[in-house]
Amino acid sequence: MGYTNLQQCVEDLEARGELIRIGKSLDPHLEIGAIQRRVFRAGGPALLFTNVKGSRFPMLGNLFGTMERARYIFRDTLPALKALFRAKADPGAALKKPWAFRSAPRVLYGALPKSVKDGPILAHQTCLSELPQLVSWPMDGGAFVTLPQVYSENPAAPGYKNSNLGMYRVQISGNDYEKDREVGLHYQIHRGLGIHHSEAMKKGQPLKVNIFVGGAPAMTLAAVMPLPEGLSELMFAGALAGKRMRMVRNGTGLPMLAEADFCICGTLYGSQQKPEGPFGDHIGYYSLTHDFPVLHVDNVYYREGAIWPFTTVGRPPQEDTVFGTFIHELTEELVPTVFPGVHEVHAVDASGVHPLLLAVGSERYVPYAEERQPQELLTNGMALLGNTQTSLAKYLFIGAREDDSTLSAHDLPSFFRHILERTDMRRDLHFVTKTTIDTLDYSGTGLNAGSKLVWAAAGPAKRRLDSALPGDLRLAEGFTAPRCFAPGIVVVQGPQHTGARGVQDPQLEALADVLGQQLEALDGLPLCVVVDDVDFAAKNWENFVWVSFSRSDPATDIYGAHAETQCKHWGTPGPVIIDARLKSFQAPPLDPDPDVEKRVDALAAPGAPLHGVY
């Protein structure tokens, strides 16, 4: 039942034909990451690179490369976990169908970590420079651990119950980190490790941190699982694996995962920081160099036969897309229990995940009203922006199930059509300004700083959306190539952005003025998005949502024809204009190295090791 370690999983997948070994000497600097991305896009197998330049350790990529493989890896416990989540969502279900929950006690027992005195992880020691030095993108600042499990315990309440296991960025070489002695630890401001670090600083004591790599695949998934604060990821990993996670202490004061392939043991001292990055990240751009905490390395342990699992991130979809889809599939029935009144949420992967959140909620506050309008939806929206991973969302579009029982947040064309038909642009856009946004999002007014927008729509349709442009449409000077991307949505090519951060652009205000002179003709086109490349942005929905929402800050980059502010509330008769050009101050998008791509092409030629794989 389940896998105790990574080696068992590799052997099983290889026997099923779900994993291939690659014995050709390949470079972890750009080359191996590019191969993994290619194989992921092709829906290919897991990859075990056994001849890694500069390291004696094999690298394992694309382990979670397809939903089918992810379901297979956790096949023994998924039904029981889903049953437990159903029981939490509907406590009466266990009484109605007790046989459906017969495996629950075994799953719950597996959730309890087990302390042991010895384990495979203590077999050997090494140093950071002997680990695989994975560099995924040309501008990356050094080598990174891309599937780390960063373990810490709360100094105010030590122990497994109050531990945190998170997947934070870990830079093991480059910049001015002392070789083999220092690691860059980039954790985002919303994360559990930050709470532990804060407690340690409050007490005036250092914080021990262990970084596990490998081990049971359940540990990797647990590290990205958006669990509520106070619920241990370590316990979730045991439930998912169907086996108690064995934890071993060796006098460091912080337990290590006994079955991990590697463990980097270190210490955070106060507020010490060093420059970390750049790094090609999951929004599709580089996150630039900023100061982040430095982990002082005490020891690096590894087990016999250790395997280094990795992934590469970049503009979605990538392997971490599967993580998100898998987690949604596992927990979708819990959404109403965490967010009462919310039926469905969709963090849109194609946008970079956090820039865009779509939701279906309830609008029941005033059932006797002559016309339904967003009220409960706004309560739902504030809850979504105030809890769990959904709090990282920048744009939240939310519609009411009462208006359409078939409304789905996962059907982008239908969802946007539903919202745009019903929005009162004078009333239904609600901005949160001067707030925190995702650390990786560079569209805001500074690092971690920017704005959010709740766009709520309820009630009957207010307009009929057009699918064609008016024949006499006029634009302001410098704006060209208007195109109707979808019903109600116009995409326009704008001049290159040259303005400063956090300042609205007079050219966009001029565009709003010109469009404001054509309100009647544009009533069926309530959303206008200004981009750098119309052909690219309007090619498909994936491009449209990525460009529109990853490159704009709501408070700075939204304009409106005849816009006005009444009692601090902004509104416009329409259209709403989003400036989605790449800004002069934003991080560059990710582009692969052409020479590396040619070498990767050659690996798929007849007779080459990856022929027929991609």
Side-chain angles (χ1 to χ4, degrees), residues 243-382:
K243 298 179 182 296
R244 299 176 68 182
M245 292 295 110
R246 297 168 59 238
M247 304 294 289
V248 59
R249 296 182 186 270
N250 71 331
T252 64
L254 196 62
M256 289 185 279
L257 179 65
E259 295 285 349
D261 287 75
F262 300 86
C263 180
I264 302 170
C265 302
T267 308
L268 290 172
Y269 292 98
S271 60
Q272 184 183 2
Q273 302 172 70
K274 279 191 174 183
E276 182 268 357
F279 180 71
D281 229 312
H282 69 256
I283 296 182
Y285 308 88
Y286 286 96
S287 57
L288 302 179
T289 304
H290 298 284
D291 287 348
F292 278 95
V294 178
L295 184 73
H296 292 262
V297 177
D298 302 318
N299 297 99
V300 180
Y301 293 91
Y302 70 97
R303 66 177 296 149
E304 187 68 30
I307 298 170
W308 185 265
F310 77 97
T311 190
T312 56
V313 293
R315 184 191 163 193
Q318 301 289 349
E319 189 177 2
D320 54 358
T321 299
V322 177
F323 286 146
T325 305
F326 185 87
I327 289 169
H328 172 77
E329 185 178 281
L330 185 62
T331 62
E332 61 183 330
E333 292 185 66
L334 285 179
V335 169
T337 69
V338 179
F339 304 107
V342 177
H343 305 286
E344 182 186 20
V345 295
H346 179 201
V348 181
D349 184 71
S351 74
V353 181
H354 299 315
L356 177 62
L357 180 69
L358 308 181
V360 178
S362 294
E363 189 49 72
R364 304 163 297 186
Y365 273 6
V366 189
Y368 49 82
E370 190 172 311
E371 180 180 316
R372 193 161 37 243
Q373 62 178 291
Q375 292 176 301
E376 185 178 3
L377 289 184
L378 299 181
T379 300
N380 295 339
M382 293 301 107

Side-chain angles (χ1 to χ4, degrees), residues 394-409:
K394 181 171 59 174
Y395 285 88
L396 167 59
F397 287 74
I398 184 167
R401 173 174 280 185
E402 287 76 10
D403 295 324
D404 182 356
S405 62
T406 67
L407 182 63
S408 171

Side-chain angles (χ1 to χ4, degrees), residues 158-207:
Y160 300 135
K161 182 179 178 182
N162 296 300
S163 66
N164 177 255
L165 187 75
M167 193 167 286
Y168 312 118
R169 210 158 77 204
V170 175
Q171 184 173 350
I172 58 174
S173 68
N175 296 352
D176 61 348
Y177 294 117
E178 185 180 342
K179 183 180 178 181
D180 291 329
R181 301 304 306 162
E182 293 178 336
V183 159
L185 195 52
H186 177 144
Y187 64 80
Q188 291 159 272
I189 57 176
H190 301 72
R191 308 298 184 159
L193 176 59
I195 296 171
H196 294 176
H197 194 183
S198 176
E199 284 290 341
M201 291 174 64
K202 190 189 305 182
K203 288 176 168 290
Q205 65 186 48
L207 180 70

Side-chain angles (χ1 to χ4, degrees), residues 17 136 147 279 328 561 586:
S136 301
L147 287 178
F279 180 71
H328 172 77
Q586 282 181 261

